[in-house]
Amino acid sequence: MMPKAPILLMAPLVLFAHSLMPVPAKLQPGVGRLRIDQNFAFVQLTGYREPRLEAAAARLVEDVARKTGIPMRPGVGLHAPSAALIVYCDHAGTAVQSAQEDESYRLTVTAVGARLDAPNPLGVLRGMATFLQLVDLDSSGFGVPAVTIEDHPRFPWRGLMLDVARHWIPLADVKRTLDGMAAVKLNVFHWHLSENQGFRVESKLFPKLQELGSDGEYYTQDQVREVIAYARDRGIRVIPEFDLPGHATAWFVGYPELASGPGPYQIERQWGIFDPAMDPSREETYQFLDAFIGEMAALFPDEYFHIGGDEVNGKQWDANPRIQEYMRAQGIKSNEALQAYFTRRVQAIVAKHGKKMIGWDEVLTPDMPSSILVQSWRGPKALADAARQGVSGILSNGYYLDLGYSAAYHYAVDPLGEAAANLTPEQKQRVLGGEACMWSEFVTPELLDVRVWPRMAAIAERFWSPQNVTDVADMYRRLEAVSRDLEGLGLTHVFEYEKMLERLAGGSAAAPVRTLAAVVEPVKDYAREAAHPYDKFTPLNRLIDAARPDSETVRRFAALVDHMSAANMPQIRAYLTEWRDNQARLAPVLENSALLAEDEELSANLAAMAQAGLEALDRLQNGPPRDPAWIAEKRALLDRAKQPKAELLLSVEPAIRKLIESAQ
Amino acid sequence: MMPKAPILLMAPLVLFAHSLMPVPAKLQPGVGRLRIDQNFAFVQLTGYREPRLEAAAARLVEDVARKTGIPMRPGVGLHAPSAALIVYCDHAGTAVQSAQEDESYRLTVTAVGARLDAPNPLGVLRGMATFLQLVDLDSSGFGVPAVTIEDHPRFPWRGLMLDVARHWIPLADVKRTLDGMAAVKLNVFHWHLSENQGFRVESKLFPKLQELGSDGEYYTQDQVREVIAYARDRGIRVIPEFDLPGHATAWFVGYPELASGPGPYQIERQWGIFDPAMDPSREETYQFLDAFIGEMAALFPDEYFHIGGDEVNGKQWDANPRIQEYMRAQGIKSNEALQAYFTRRVQAIVAKHGKKMIGWDEVLTPDMPSSILVQSWRGPKALADAARQGVSGILSNGYYLDLGYSAAYHYAVDPLGEAAANLTPEQKQRVLGGEACMWSEFVTPELLDVRVWPRMAAIAERFWSPQNVTDVADMYRRLEAVSRDLEGLGLTHVFEYEKMLERLAGGSAAAPVRTLAAVVEPVKDYAREAAHPYDKFTPLNRLIDAARPDSETVRRFAALVDHMSAANMPQIRAYLTEWRDNQARLAPVLENSALLAEDEELSANLAAMAQAGLEALDRLQNGPPRDPAWIAEKRALLDRAKQPKAELLLSVEPAIRKLIESAQ
């Protein structure tokens, strides 16, 4: 019954408007549709079996039930004799998930059944994620369109780094994040566990790390094991990061002797780069790290261990005569060389405990063994340098989720782009993939999903799908679908956003706040820090905190302006009228909300721009040509209105500018 | 610093537009406002201390932080020396929370601090719920308006019955429900644990009850203890109900010998009233119940134990010659008398295990001891009869959340209304309060919050607040605020509603679905069962399942029509235009959604009614008088349009009718 697909097409978006994200490597549309109703019997596991597969099958049944609202009959679900989705897994995976494991699968759906084949459990998990995304509703009911998919990832390393140290992220939020990651086929959860602002894991050998360095906000070792098992069930590796020798103030609260400067230390409450750094000149530092890394290497099964290594400013080393004397005695000429010396010592400790070391760009020095892995926050050039040196790397530069960039911006970044594009094929093999980074200066549990999702899904596609899958409009179309799917799985990026807007409205009608929020986006890069004093206790409850880097409203409006016609002018007018009139509707809300007061000018600018856009539209539809003075005045208005206010940009400005320029 | 309030006013809604629900017994507005920012230091516990109070204080800090988005500094929260909310608890409560316990509190807020005084921990919990509701945002920031509140409940028994048997409700959903209950000062969680469709608690003595009677969907005894502890922490009693002798098919799957008819039995999958009933003629039945009730009485600490007792049709008794013979031998003349005999035996067993029995109306017979409690599903007359007989009772008739009635409908029902209003003061004391009932034929975990909230809050006010608090418009104003607060606490009635509408839209724009959903309401009473075949596996994913019994949109529109003026006519026109035009916007969505197809006529009727409303508005604003033929035609249209379609009513029909009639 299962036809072999004769010819497979690359990313056949035109033929078949599926909503898969990431786009599979090969997809061949079929004929017909597999119906899913309350009599649908799935899923039957065949071939190699293990508890992870049983759990995945049970989750799939539950997820399909939740997506469709169709309950499954007891006994008709798992192991049904007439299963409508038959899964064949050829063999077991590795005991500890590795970056080399095969994640490929083949999924065939016809009108009468579906079959998922994979060499090992990881492929089954990926194929099930695809099946769940394929479930949709049409005029005949819920079902899955007939299709043959042969799929495998482009990169073996597809990750998300989550900083749980600057702001604490509780266990439930971590698990929810893993649910989202699995849905878009990510496979590495990089857990940034220590920082100046907190040490987040229980150490039984050095309990003062968490007792004095965490405000009580840390994971017990049992909880760590729970997260690792939860992640493994979803085909996700867990890599811990303990940032050394800088970013380590929280360690020094309990163990000041590790630091290069005199104590005592307190948990850091500010954001930024700070002076405290471990003392590379004392053998006791390495003894401590040997014991500590040994303890953590036993707790975290992954073959990689991340030691950070970024942003040491060297001031404590400069100021410590004993360290200066040590450098002279050892012939170490610079702080960079001192850090390199420290990193080699730490690398040896990591290797002794059976792990491969990962570090940020700074750890790459000419004499590092090629077993290490470089995570580049600086850019593709560092990756290319590493690859030429025989060292593997992953890209994070361009994938920082905290910097307010759009999904399209991140989507355009390729781990094999820029400097890495010129590598030899062999060198390119050393670029293993990438990781998005969620640094948490501006992230609380409430904001986590709002910041990570749905943009993370677009980056996941970059890591998984063929390099030529680059259509931004189609990406956004599918991103809307995957965003709904993610909410269905329990992610809260829409829910929390709405609740934040309700809070901003303070009991007044939230609709005008929603209208304003839909056309603003955050300032980019590190402009937030520059605009406002922030620390750990600054409330993150302003419009800038809710603001999305991607606005569906602005995309729709810009598309109308880009393809302006008599037919779509009424829609353009409706948008502009709504924005012009929103000022009056928002006024009583602004008046009663201390949180919104700062956004008054933004709202006024939106109204003024919209009024100018309406004047331009009048001209285009039936008016006399606008004189140069009008244009000059409107340009000046737009130039003013595009300036950041309250850390926000009016993202609708370019489209309105285009409209106004076209009225000339 | 804490002024004594000299004069306290009853429900001073006009003086002070607070959003408290339930309204406190006495409230005196003060001058000024207590500011809440990141330096706010609370809460300090004084007087009697216990872990429950520490936990409550920690939750309050967390809830205020979540409501405001303001993080609390470590060490500045609990036990801060300069606490801004000082709590004084006089003494301990009872070891097991009882219906007689004092729940009163006094809360005084000034611009410089707040003080909460209560005789015992329950009052502290109620006062903290009030404090949290008082936190709001104004032009100066977050804070609490100065106020003095002296509060206590009108009724000691304020409950929610949740049927977890017909549809299974997992532990997390139960806990979330308890969070919501605590927020509106409810104090009884009545857990309907067994039914024809499922037996939901682990019995260690009779394991086949859950093994064969639950499809694996039951609470372990550890989970039951977890819920009881969770509830106690929130000032809520947990009363189990095991429904006897009818509604018990699920028991008979594992223990067919308990039944009056021959087995074997299967878990019931249909809804309705069924024949199987326990055999009152065999001593083994009572021996089983003695052991079982003994086990459950030890598991559930509350002094009350609910044995159901409703809806026995007697057919199995009629058909069993041995039972007929037993009745003759014992001189039992009717099935009612046989059930009364059974109930007296069960009551003796319940009493032997140290509990007071609760049952539905049917258990009240003249020879019942006055220690029992009657829960009336039939109406106030049963309560009045019980009270005259010296038996206490609680009202559930009028508070069935599954029947599609509005908050206003339930709000108008008073436990001391109708027949109970004529009781003597002493008899009235026997009406202890009421319980809302959430029967779960049409409730899944996804739908639970959509069905319970926010209406439950209005009923909670009926149980707590003075009898003269009856202003429906003000109730709805406050209900909107409490609904937002509940979402902030993690309830999902808005979130799941939105997700259901997205599902109905099936990937198309959800906005026109939202517009239609906002003006429909479910059919009432038991009309759903009559309209459509339902059983346990029927998908509950249609518009009727999402539909809210209360429409904010319809209330606003109706208020505009009720107070029609030149000033509000543009708003009326805007609503009508949106509804008229929604038909065209919804058409492409309807076409692609098998779930929505049944709602096409509803949408067409809405458009036609809106068009008629617009014509009426034209007449009112500037047109010629409408002729009688026009009126007759529109009346006919309205008569058609108000008929149920797809189990839904167009709730906007009466307001449009009023508009049209006024155009005559």
Side-chain angles (χ1 to χ4, degrees), chain A residues 505-552:
Chain A
S508 304
V513 183
R514 200 172 289 122
T515 297
L516 179 62
V519 295
V520 298
E521 59 185 58
V523 292
K524 309 300 166 205
D525 213 55
Y526 294 95
R528 274 198 81 172
E529 280 93 336
H532 191 99
Y534 282 104
D535 66 23
K536 172 146 186 132
F537 301 111
T538 311
L540 298 177
N541 57 6
R542 294 154 61 215
L543 187 54
I544 167 66
D545 295 299
R548 291 168 168 160
D550 282 288
S551 166
E552 196 180 315

Side-chain angles (χ1 to χ4, degrees), chain A residues 10-64:
Chain A
M10 294 296 287
L13 301 174
V14 180
L15 293 177
F16 179 48
H18 66 76
S19 294
L20 295 173
M21 182 169 273
V23 164
K26 294 178 180 178
L27 182 153
Q28 170 70 41
V31 176
R33 183 173 168 84
L34 177 64
R35 183 178 174 82
I36 294 184
D37 59 22
Q38 60 263 50
N39 298 312
F40 188 72
F42 71 108
V43 44
Q44 191 180 4
L45 299 174
T46 68
Y48 169 76
R49 301 278 286 270
E50 65 172 28
R52 179 160 60 155
L53 289 171
E54 313 277 347
R59 276 203 311 280
L60 180 62
V61 172
E62 194 180 299
D63 289 343
V64 170

Side-chain angles (χ1 to χ4, degrees), chain A residues 91-103:
Chain A
H91 54 260
T94 52
V96 173
Q97 187 177 331
S98 98
Q100 286 78 48
E101 251 177 292
D102 193 343
E103 297 179 89

Side-chain angles (χ1 to χ4, degrees), chain A residues 38 65-74 137-142 215 269 446 484 487-492 494-495 499 502-508 535-541 590-595, chain B residues 38 65-74 137-142 215 269 446 484 487-492 494-495 499 502-508 535-541 590-595:
Chain A
Q38 60 263 50
R66 191 159 41 187
K67 184 167 180 173
T68 60
I70 299 171
M72 295 293 142
R73 284 173 195 272
L137 175 66
D138 74 3
S139 59
S140 70
F142 285 101
D215 301 311
R269 305 303 185 186
E446 169 184 51
R484 280 192 299 273
E487 284 274 321
L489 290 171
L491 279 293
T492 61
V494 177
F495 185 43
K499 285 205 288 186
E502 292 278 0
R503 180 199 287 150
L504 286 165
S508 304
D535 66 23
K536 172 146 186 132
F537 301 111
T538 311
L540 298 177
N541 57 6
L590 281 169
E591 215 166 273
N592 290 303
S593 166
L595 293 181
Chain B
Q38 60 263 50
R66 193 160 40 189
K67 184 167 180 175
T68 59
I70 298 171
M72 295 292 143
R73 286 172 193 269
L137 175 65
D138 74 2
S139 59
S140 70
F142 284 102
D215 302 310
R269 306 304 187 186
E446 171 184 50
R484 281 192 300 274
E487 283 273 321
L489 289 172
L491 279 294
T492 62
V494 177
F495 185 43
K499 286 205 288 187
E502 292 278 359
R503 180 199 286 150
L504 286 164
S508 304
D535 67 21
K536 171 147 187 129
F537 302 111
T538 311
L540 299 177
N541 56 7
L590 281 168
E591 214 167 272
N592 290 301
S593 167
L595 292 182

Side-chain angles (χ1 to χ4, degrees), chain A residues 255-276:
Chain A
Y255 300 94
E257 63 276 18
L258 291 172
S260 302
Y265 290 88
Q266 298 204 311
I267 297 175
E268 182 58 59
R269 305 303 185 186
Q270 304 296 312
W271 309 137
I273 298 173
F274 299 92
D275 301 345

Side-chain angles (χ1 to χ4, degrees), chain A residues 106-246:
Chain A
R106 178 189 166 99
L107 176 64
T108 316
V109 180
T110 73
V112 298
R115 186 176 168 91
L116 170 61
D117 289 281
N120 75 17
L122 288 185
V124 173
L125 293 170
R126 305 307 170 225
M128 286 180 172
T130 299
F131 187 87
L132 179 62
Q133 282 192 349
L134 283 170
V135 173
D136 68 3
L137 175 66
D138 74 3
S139 59
S140 70
F142 285 101
V144 176
V147 72
T148 299
I149 289 171
E150 290 194 5
D151 201 9
H152 62 270
R154 178 173 166 224
F155 292 107
W157 195 295
R158 307 177 309 280
L160 168 62
M161 186 225 74
L162 183 62
D163 171 8
V164 299
R166 285 181 175 81
H167 276 109
W168 166 240
I169 304 292
L171 199 69
D173 304 287
V174 169
K175 285 184 171 177
R176 196 175 64 243
T177 302
L178 291 166
D179 291 339
M181 290 176 65
V184 295
K185 303 185 172 64
L186 291 167
N187 67 357
V188 175
F189 177 63
H190 168 173
W191 212 354
H192 186 82
L193 286 164
S194 72
E195 260 301 339
N196 299 307
Q197 292 85 2
F199 189 94
R200 303 298 182 199
V201 171
E202 174 192 26
S203 168
K204 293 183 190 292
L205 293 181
F206 304 105
K208 282 188 287 183
L209 285 171
Q210 73 273 10
E211 285 168 9
L212 300 181
S214 78
D215 301 311
E217 295 178 330
Y218 64 92
Y219 312 103
T220 66
Q221 294 200 357
D222 278 345
Q223 289 175 321
V224 168
R225 279 184 282 268
E226 191 180 333
V227 166
I228 291 167
Y230 194 90
R232 178 176 166 80
D233 256 6
R234 285 152 183 80
I236 298 170
R237 301 159 54 206
V238 176
I239 297 177
E241 176 182 355
F242 296 96
D243 210 344
L244 314 169

Side-chain angles (χ1 to χ4, degrees), chain B residues 587-611:
Chain B
V589 189
L590 281 168
E591 214 167 272
N592 290 301
S593 167
L595 292 182
L596 276 178
E598 63 177 346
D599 304 308
E600 186 161 12
E601 195 175 345
L602 210 60
S603 174
N605 284 344
L606 175 63
M609 282 203 308
Q611 173 59 37

Side-chain angles (χ1 to χ4, degrees), chain A residues 439-456:
Chain A
W439 301 106
S440 66
E441 282 91 340
F442 299 107
V443 175
T444 58
E446 169 184 51
L447 285 163
L448 175 62
D449 292 8
V450 174
R451 286 283 156 266
V452 173
W453 306 103
R455 288 182 300 163
M456 180 76 248

